[in-house]
Amino acid sequence: MTTTQKPMVASSNPTNIRPTWVQITLWVAIAFILIFSLGPVLWELLTSIKTNEAITTDPVVYIPALDQYTFQHYIDLFARNHFHRYLFNSAFVAIISTVLCLCIGAPAAYALARLRIPGEQIILAVVLVVTLFPYILLFLGLLELVRAAGLANNYLALIIPYTAINLPLTILVMRSFFQQLPRDLEDSAKVDGYNTLQMLQQIVLPMTLPALATTGILAFIFAWNEYIFALTFITRESMQTVPVAAAQLAGTTLFDIPYGPLAAATIVGTLPLILLVLFFQRQIVQGLTSGSVKG
Amino acid sequence: MAKLEVQHLNKTYGRTIVPVKDMSFTVDDGEFLTLVGPSGCGKSTTLRMVAGLEQPTSGRVMIGEKDVTHVGAGDRNIAMVFQSYALYPHMTVYDNMASGLKLRNMSTAAIQDRVADATRVLGLNDLLNRKPAKLSGGQRQRVALGRALVRRPDVFLLDEPLSNLDALLREQVRADLKQIFDAQSTPVVYVTHDQTEAMTLSTKVAVLHEGNVQQLDSPRNIYDRPANRFVAGFIGSPQMNLFHLSCEGNAAVLGNSRLRLPDRFAPPPEAVLGIRPEHVRIARPEDTETLEGKVFLVEHLGMSNLLSIQVKDSDLRVRALLPSDQTWSDEITLALPSQHRHWFHVQTGDRFPDAVPSRVS
Ligand SMILES: Nc1ncnc2c1ncn2[C@@H]1O[C@H](COP(=O)(O)OP(=O)(O)OP(=O)(O)O)[C@@H](O)[C@H]1O
Ligand SMILES: [Mg+2]
């Protein structure tokens, strides 16, 4: 017995050690990637809660000491700069344009995926070409349009372009999603007696939610972060969006760069996006269609 | 209860794509029609036209003497089971079964009654609150079946409902299916490419090939008297031996033996002989038309042995199914019993008319 056990012990030792080495390397790698990609964000976060003195002292303060913490930048942001107003503007524009984008894009994608439309390939090609345009190129033309339509300083001046810019991607992504939805499900619903509207609402829509959430988040992030249009089409200060307002934060003097408030504005502007993604991550249940069909 | 009648159905997708050419059949109450045929022969297309999911290019579909060709799928009062089951993934088993009834404004009590009936038959009682993702393949298949049963439709349509199950389960569910549908007197149209299913389940079988019905008959007749060469080769496993033979007088030449053709028609120059492996046997002393050959391959099938035999003085090969307790020598002499021979026309592939006395004049 002992002779058979010895080699077992001997052979189990290296197998015990090797995984720990692998694990150590793995964790080092993970830590490195985390620091590398989250470093700037962390720096912003720390800057936003440091006192002005701590921000500007010469030996750089990385981790502030206890007496160097302050929430003053955040308080200033809302009390002095009315940041809640810009947050509302951004949210309003982003939400409306996202909803519009999904409401127009999803039915279009469904039609392109399911109906035999003459010229379908041409339509798809056009949609694809539109996504290839750098949107900055459209900027001057749009400016003229906005002026001509008298939309300057109107939320519509942002909502309409944002919706239009996000539509092609929404249509392409949703179309490929609809194409891989099993057709049998819709046929089955028809045999069961659903009419087209009921079928779309009660059978297709619930299965489409993950794709809607994904494309919706992309559209929302674009609209939330967009800067150029928001800067030029909206000049009235009370209607500005977060990125514009953050960029226009001014210090007390011309040469004083307000690092603290800027960092706080960045954090406040990013937080909604992070929350949104975290929230929908739980909603995007992977493999929602699994179980309906086999294979 | 309603009779299903399909008249001259045709579906044309393009000039060269005509999956269904001219399809006619009727299914009465209590009848179980199976559409069987190789892949791509138009089985599913036919079924979808009966269901109303596809508009026929021409032809009519009648359910209970009513023309429903232009009626939508939801208003035909049919139920369909799909090959992929097509269960609604976001609904529980109960809701999957009940949804079609709810749409018809049936009372909750009545719905519960019907679902309870179906789940009892199918043994789904414990699964009613599960989502399809948490079911096994066999359970999903039964839910799909239950969804059709609770509807109490005028016609049941099933498109390869067993093809996603493993062999053992398939056999068991096949038996269940037979019981369930024997207890109903509703017409059933069942699509499969599995001939065992076709033979065991149906009262009538339609063998399809290239968009046409090759033979529409009882399973017995399809097996015993295949209407043409295609049906002969398609139905039966192992496959029927089919030989293209030349004729001398009223006998066909196979190796160095002469096989008498059926009487009473002018002997053709050539003919196709068909004989099933299970009907080929080792010759007995009293047999006259025998065939000599050499065994070159033996496959053990459990109950029987499948022998492949090279015919002497010929490049033809015969396959014979012998009971496993029978012994043989490599140099073998076979008999092809004349009552089990099938003769087909070389060009048309049609079966030679049998020597029925009434046809003689
Ligand atoms: N929408 C369509 N457009 C063009 N051709 C089609 C269409 N649907 C089916 N076909 C063609 O019709 C033929 C018959 O298809 P069908 O689905 O009826 O075959 P099947 O007998 O059910 O085969 P299987 O046993 O593989 O399911 C196929 O050759 C297929 O390519
Ligand atoms: Mg099919």
Side-chain angles (χ1 to χ4, degrees), chain B residues 18 25 65 73 77 96 113 125 134 196 251 276 294 301 311:
Chain B
V18 190
F25 52 79
E65 309 294 327
N77 200 22
N96 260 288
D113 264 6
N125 281 325
K134 297 211 173 101
T196 323
R276 297 193 184 279
K294 193 169 181 311
L301 304 181
V311 178

Side-chain angles (χ1 to χ4, degrees), chain A residues 10-267:
Chain A
S11 68
S12 73
N13 259 344
T15 50
N16 269 347
I17 288 170
R18 230 176 271 138
T20 55
W21 272 112
V22 169
Q23 274 167 350
I24 289 171
T25 336
L26 189 70
W27 283 108
V28 168
I30 289 174
F32 176 75
I33 290 172
L34 271 182
I35 293 169
F36 184 76
S37 51
L38 288 185
V41 182
L42 206 61
W43 185 243
E44 284 290 288
L45 183 66
L46 287 173
T47 308
S48 75
I49 52 174
K50 273 191 278 195
T51 57
N52 277 326
E53 292 75 53
I55 293 174
T56 48
T57 47
D58 194 12
V60 177
V61 178
Y62 288 98
I63 308 293
L66 272 182
D67 59 339
Q68 289 173 315
Y69 283 108
T70 176
F71 280 111
Q72 196 55 43
H73 302 311
Y74 288 93
I75 295 166
D76 282 353
L77 212 55
F78 288 96
R80 186 147 24 108
N81 295 317
H82 311 296
F83 230 67
H84 45 276
R85 199 183 288 157
Y86 310 130
L87 276 175
F88 170 81
N89 291 340
S90 272
F92 183 78
V93 168
I95 289 173
I96 299 284
S97 76
T98 303
V99 168
L100 272 181
C101 198
L102 294 180
C103 288
I104 301 170
Y110 186 78
L112 281 171
R114 282 293 191 255
L115 306 180
R116 261 176 243 124
I117 303 168
E120 186 184 325
Q121 290 306 317
I122 298 172
I123 298 175
L124 280 176
V126 170
V127 170
L128 194 65
V129 166
V130 170
T131 62
L132 299 180
F133 269 111
Y135 81 106
I136 301 290
L137 286 186
L138 307 170
F139 170 60
L140 280 179
L142 272 178
L143 188 59
E144 290 298 317
L145 280 178
V146 167
R147 264 207 212 116
L151 283 179
N153 286 327
N154 186 327
Y155 288 128
L156 278 179
L158 297 184
I159 291 173
I160 295 174
Y162 291 173
T163 308
I165 284 169
N166 278 317
L167 257 182
L169 188 73
T170 310
I171 291 178
L172 291 178
V173 172
M174 291 303 292
R175 175 174 169 271
S176 62
F177 178 82
F178 282 129
Q179 273 179 331
Q180 54 94 45
L181 265 193
R183 222 190 176 119
D184 277 357
L185 275 172
E186 288 151 60
D187 288 339
S188 176
K190 280 185 208 154
V191 171
D192 259 354
Y194 287 86
N195 64 33
T196 308
L197 200 65
Q198 287 170 324
M199 179 190 81
L200 289 177
Q201 275 178 356
Q202 296 173 30
I203 307 294
V204 177
L205 190 65
M207 289 188 294
T208 317
L209 285 180
L212 284 178
T214 314
T215 46
I217 284 177
L218 290 180
F220 186 90
I221 290 177
F222 172 85
W224 184 269
N225 287 338
E226 204 283 333
Y227 180 70
I228 305 269
F229 290 2
L231 178 69
T232 38
F233 297 168
I234 305 287
T235 46
R236 189 181 301 155
E237 202 249 331
S238 67
M239 291 181 73
Q240 280 172 345
T241 57
V242 171
V244 178
Q248 291 180 352
L249 282 179
T252 39
T253 69
L254 192 58
F255 303 103
D256 176 22
I257 301 174
Y259 290 110
L262 266 181
T266 313
I267 297 297

Side-chain angles (χ1 to χ4, degrees), chain A residues 185 291-293, chain B residues 84-89 96 132 135 140-141 143-144 147:
Chain A
L185 275 172
S292 73
V293 296
Chain B
S84 62
Y85 313 148
L87 301 179
Y88 308 132
N96 260 288
L135 298 178
R140 286 177 204 171
Q141 203 278 336
V143 175
R147 191 168 63 177

